[in-house]
Amino acid sequence: MSKSERVIEREEVVIRFSGDSGDGMQLTGTLFSNTSALFGNDLLTFPDYPAEIRAPQGTVGGVSGFQVHVGQSEVYTPGDFADVLVAMNPAAVKANSKYIRDGGVIIIDEDNFTEKNIKKAGYEKDPIEEDRLDRYNIISAPITTLVRETLKDLGLDPKTVIRTKNMFALGMVYFLFGRDLEYTEEYLKSKFSKRPEIIEANSKVLRAGYHYAETIEAMTPIYKVSPASIEKGLYRTIDGNTALSWGFLAAAEKAGLGLFIGSYPITPASGILETLAARKDLGVKSFQAEDEIAGICTALGASFAGNLAITTTSGPGLALKSEAIGLAVMTELPIVIVNVQRGGPSTGLPTKTEQADLMQALYGRNGECPVVVMAASTPSNCFKYAFEAARIALEHMVPVILLSDGFLANGSEPWKIPSMDSLPEIKPPLVKEGDDVFIPYERDPKTLIRRWAIPGTRGREHRIGGLEKTVKGTVSYIPENHEYMVKMRAEKVARVVTKVPDLQTYGDNEGDMLLIGWGGTYGHLLTSVRELRKEGRKVSLAHFNYINPLPANTAEVFSGFEKLVVAELNAGQFIRYLRMEFEELKFKQINKIQGLPFTCKEIKEQCVKLLEE
Amino acid sequence: MNEEIVEYSPNDFKSDQEVRWCPGCGDHAVLAAIIRALAELKIPKEKFAFISGIGCSSRFPYYLSTYGFHGIHGRASAIATGVKIANHDLNVWQITGDGDAMAIGGNHFIHAVRRNIDINIILFNNQIYGLTKGQYSPTSFRGAITKTSPFGTVEEPFSVGELVIGAKGKFFARTIDSNVHLSTEVYKQAALHEGTSVVEVLQNCVIFNDGVHKELTDRETRDETTIVLKQGEPMIFGKNGDKGLKLDGLKLKVVKLGNGITEKDILVHDCEENNPGMHTMLANMRYPGYPVALGVIRCVSAPTYDMSVESQIAKIQKISKIKNVADLLKSGSTWEAK
């Protein structure tokens, strides 16, 4: 085959890098993604790694993967199946062989396919035979040998030499996709600026991999994915946790308040605390607390003292924060609680994604304790929803729980950088100093929002706390007062609906089926509905970012469809909530509880089944 | 913080709320002493923030006319920490008890002390749970008979001072509820100390643990059972001022003055000594055997968490190219789509 015959134009391609958790696959994937983003592709990434930092080498449990989906049109998912799998050892093949598209390419380091490693991965003898891998185009390269050969004159220790293997594989993939090496070489230069020998070694190996792929005869087709036609503007790649952090920074700036984050490290939320801890230049006060409870309690203290206060956690941490969320509800202080959901219950699946904390967010507290609940739905819109969560908390004097998940937190995609001018102002109901009496729980008659008097403001001294109070702030056990205050707090949350945009459907306003989702499943549901519609099915999508309160037009949107199907990564939580809210409607459900995102394939299959019922 | 000098009378710090502690409760005297201390500090009233947890003592903020936040059980140290970091210009107080701070809030308490956040922790120690009606606390003596230990407790109590010093505490003082004069002085010093100040108030629960500190408060015995430590002064006590403390090997010893022992042989109190050895011994003195130490036992200056945060921010802001969020959004690797 000549080179020109081998070039295949594709609208989109999925690549999965996998190897031992110490093989550098996350970095390899990130470098490929950034190179593709600079090239102009749209993309979405999905890192999938074990909880163990260094799980036993060569075992399936220790396989770390990074999947990236690149396209010339908009990409919303990391892709169900990989067109190209890079597998650094037999375990990586074992873990991923069911996620390869028929006719796809597998690049393996044949030096690692020793009898010992094959057994360790759980194969009897021959992975190709056992997993019927001959369906795929296997490029078997002696990567370890070639890397040693490439670096033999540099006088490096064997460990350092072996650690450059990932660059060889990356070089091969760059050739396969016709990408240039510039971005990666620049990265190496800045990353190892103090160790020129490491820069040289990695660069040499990267180029060796590239040229090796060019030279070998058995080479597969070369994929060509043209740049996406995206909206003009300045772009960057961003992951969910960074986008969340920056959304809060933007909100603090717009509100003219300091930003305080009180958090305890927990996977997969720690990235937010880390990102904000680095932003001392923007005046962030980041506090690594002694536990989850101190995380929220310091934030609540900071809120009392007039900061935009947030606390970030994941499922088990939200459980620990419950009592303090109740205190925030009772004291009517603004605070945003971020829950980056992971597989539960208990410690569960710390590095995997799930949407099983919805009920906890809505109801997981003692007493009548409503809060605003929101959910981001793409890695980049974590920025928007962090901003909005902060805006609602500050302007309505109410705690907001913002749900993200492991898939959004670690996933990344290109993002058009917004101008700060395009974001709305945030105007918290701050009280100026004065001599007239300040009544702590006096409310705006329309919105029911109380005012915010910050310590240090002359003449506004007052007391708040967790005990039930009268409007004036006096502790009260009067039965009627308690009922009144409970209702006021609930109604105040309900009236946040004025800030909730109407629900938009993707597709039509009526049809045979409305697929309903919330949070991080957006990309998969949207892609599935698109494909179903292409196949002539009358299916539309309604995806929720606001869960409490729901958009005002929700019932109206639902009324246009024959079947209502709720798809979520749990055993059925949003569906139960919707059943309570809309007693007269019937809902069907699609669920997955494997710690993994949906695949479009399984959503489509289940939709078709439900349509034909 | 104290640039603006304001004149107040104690009454200016009383709120309009009815005080609901039991008649005869030691808390009334603590309130009176703190109100006096606040008036004497001459700090604008709006700069005080009183944070509490749960328990009888934690109702305190309602009875003051300052900013106040009645929190949840055990978490006052954390809430107060957040208040102080968010606004270091405030004068932040935490009101807590032996159950609130030593049991459910133990973790927050030791970490606040370790970090040296500039807050004043007033810990009411009555060795009992009052608000839940009479269960033993982490400071109840071994063998204490209470509702949940009808045959006596089988656990060792915490020594508050020892715990504070063990947690790298820089300020520890002890006072007695009924001694309003000493208390006022101690509270003022706690407020002026930069860093976490812990004041243990030996407080009487008239209902569930009446007389627990009786030997230390009774007019007849108190001069023999307590010693008020004063900076730079010899550690002398007793009705006739004829007893003192000296070192005997590695231990403290009570000696009688006279018979060749003079004031020069007696230890001189130095609360500013960084080495915690002597302070720990003084904080651990128990009657009988020793007089119980009152006054400021330890007062060592060290960087505070909140000011360290401020100075780190100022330093980074000077050198960073990122001045606002727009700068941040455009920082690092970006590209233009045309």
Side-chain angles (χ1 to χ4, degrees), chain A residues 242-530:
Chain A
T242 306
L244 266 177
S245 312
W246 290 8
F248 290 124
L249 283 165
E253 191 173 287
K254 281 285 177 180
L257 299 175
L259 178 62
F260 180 96
I261 173 171
S263 292
Y264 186 77
I266 184 169
T267 303
S270 307
I272 305 168
L273 177 60
E274 291 163 10
T275 301
L276 288 174
R279 290 278 70 88
K280 294 277 180 287
D281 46 12
L282 297 179
V284 176
K285 290 179 175 169
S286 65
F287 180 77
Q288 182 171 320
E290 57 272 18
D291 59 27
E292 294 282 357
I293 298 170
I296 185 168
C297 285
T298 50
L300 210 47
S303 168
F304 179 60
N307 275 11
L308 165 56
I310 65 167
T311 183
T312 53
T313 190
S314 186
L318 187 67
L320 286 164
K321 293 182 197 295
S322 303
E323 189 195 13
I325 297 173
L327 181 62
V329 167
M330 204 66 162
T331 51
E332 304 191 36
L333 285 169
I335 184 169
V336 181
I337 303 111
V338 176
N339 177 6
V340 185
Q341 300 167 98
R342 65 191 214 186
S346 187
T347 312
L349 307 170
T351 60
K352 307 292 177 185
T353 197
E354 204 160 274
Q355 295 184 299
D357 297 344
L358 182 63
M359 286 297 177
Q360 182 179 212
L362 283 165
Y363 305 116
R365 291 168 291 282
N366 66 307
E368 296 293 345
C369 201
V371 299
V372 174
V373 178
M374 298 169 58
S377 52
T378 69
S380 67
N381 83 12
C382 283
F383 179 87
K384 174 183 165 182
Y385 288 103
F387 184 90
E388 284 302 307
R391 186 162 79 107
I392 288 172
L394 290 170
E395 292 189 346
H396 289 255
M397 296 294 283
V398 72
V400 177
I401 295 182
L402 175 59
L403 298 170
S404 175
D405 59 46
F407 174 70
L408 298 180
N410 296 317
S412 61
E413 61 180 345
W415 177 53
K416 189 177 171 215
I417 298 169
S419 92
M420 285 300 288
D421 295 337
S422 69
L423 300 173
E425 291 301 317
I426 297 178
K427 293 180 183 134
L430 287 166
V431 182
K432 293 200 177 87
E433 63 172 40
D435 295 318
D436 53 319
V437 182
F438 173 69
I439 301 172
Y441 296 97
E442 188 179 40
R443 296 169 194 284
D444 176 281
K446 229 169 111 187
T447 59
L448 304 183
I449 298 163
R450 83 174 187 95
R451 292 179 302 159
W452 195 11
I454 290 166
T457 312
R458 192 182 57 78
R460 302 305 187 190
E461 295 86 353
H462 66 284
R463 275 65 57 195
I464 56 173
L467 283 169
E468 187 64 276
K469 310 240 176 354
T470 63
V471 169
K472 286 185 175 169
T474 305
V475 174
S476 165
Y477 302 108
I478 298 167
E480 292 77 13
N481 177 71
H482 177 52
E483 187 161 324
Y484 173 78
M485 292 301 267
V486 164
K487 286 181 174 167
M488 281 295 119
R489 288 188 289 264
E491 183 59 22
K492 182 184 72 168
V493 171
R495 292 191 190 181
V496 169
V497 76
T498 54
K499 281 226 175 48
V500 177
D502 269 354
L503 184 64
Q504 305 286 331
T505 54
Y506 169 78
D508 302 314
N509 292 333
E510 48 186 47
D512 295 339
M513 178 189 281
L514 182 69
L515 189 61
I516 297 165
W518 66 277
T521 52
Y522 173 70
H524 292 90
L525 301 189
L526 179 68
T527 308
S528 304
V529 167
R530 267 191 177 174

Side-chain angles (χ1 to χ4, degrees), chain A residues 104-124:
Chain A
V105 176
I106 308 180
I107 298 174
I108 61 171
D109 178 2
E110 64 183 38
D111 293 332
N112 266 336
F113 279 63
T114 59
E115 200 178 326
K116 191 175 143 206
N117 283 347
I118 286 171
K119 287 246 161 74
K120 242 191 201 173
Y123 291 111
E124 293 286 323

Side-chain angles (χ1 to χ4, degrees), chain B residues 214-232:
Chain B
K214 194 169 185 300
E215 290 162 325
L216 314 182
T217 52
D218 274 0
R219 219 169 266 278
E220 292 76 44
T221 54
R222 66 186 181 198
D223 292 333
E224 300 297 323
T225 57
T226 62
I227 176 169
V228 179
L229 298 172
K230 290 187 181 129
Q231 176 63 2

Side-chain angles (χ1 to χ4, degrees), chain A residues 233 235-236 281 285 457 463, chain B residues 66-67 310 320 329 331 335 337:
Chain A
Y235 281 77
R236 65 177 310 127
D281 46 12
K285 290 179 175 169
T457 312
R463 275 65 57 195
Chain B
T66 64
Y67 282 96
E310 297 297 331
S320 174
L329 298 182
S331 65
W335 69 93

Side-chain angles (χ1 to χ4, degrees), chain B residues 13-14 25 28 46 50-51 75 85 97 106 112 124 146 184 207-208 220 240 299 311:
Chain B
F13 287 91
K14 285 186 187 162
C25 173
H28 295 281
E46 65 271 16
F50 275 75
I51 318 296
R75 318 303 171 202
I85 296 171
F124 295 40
T146 72
T184 305
I207 306 294
F208 296 107
E220 292 76 44
N240 307 314
C299 178
S311 61

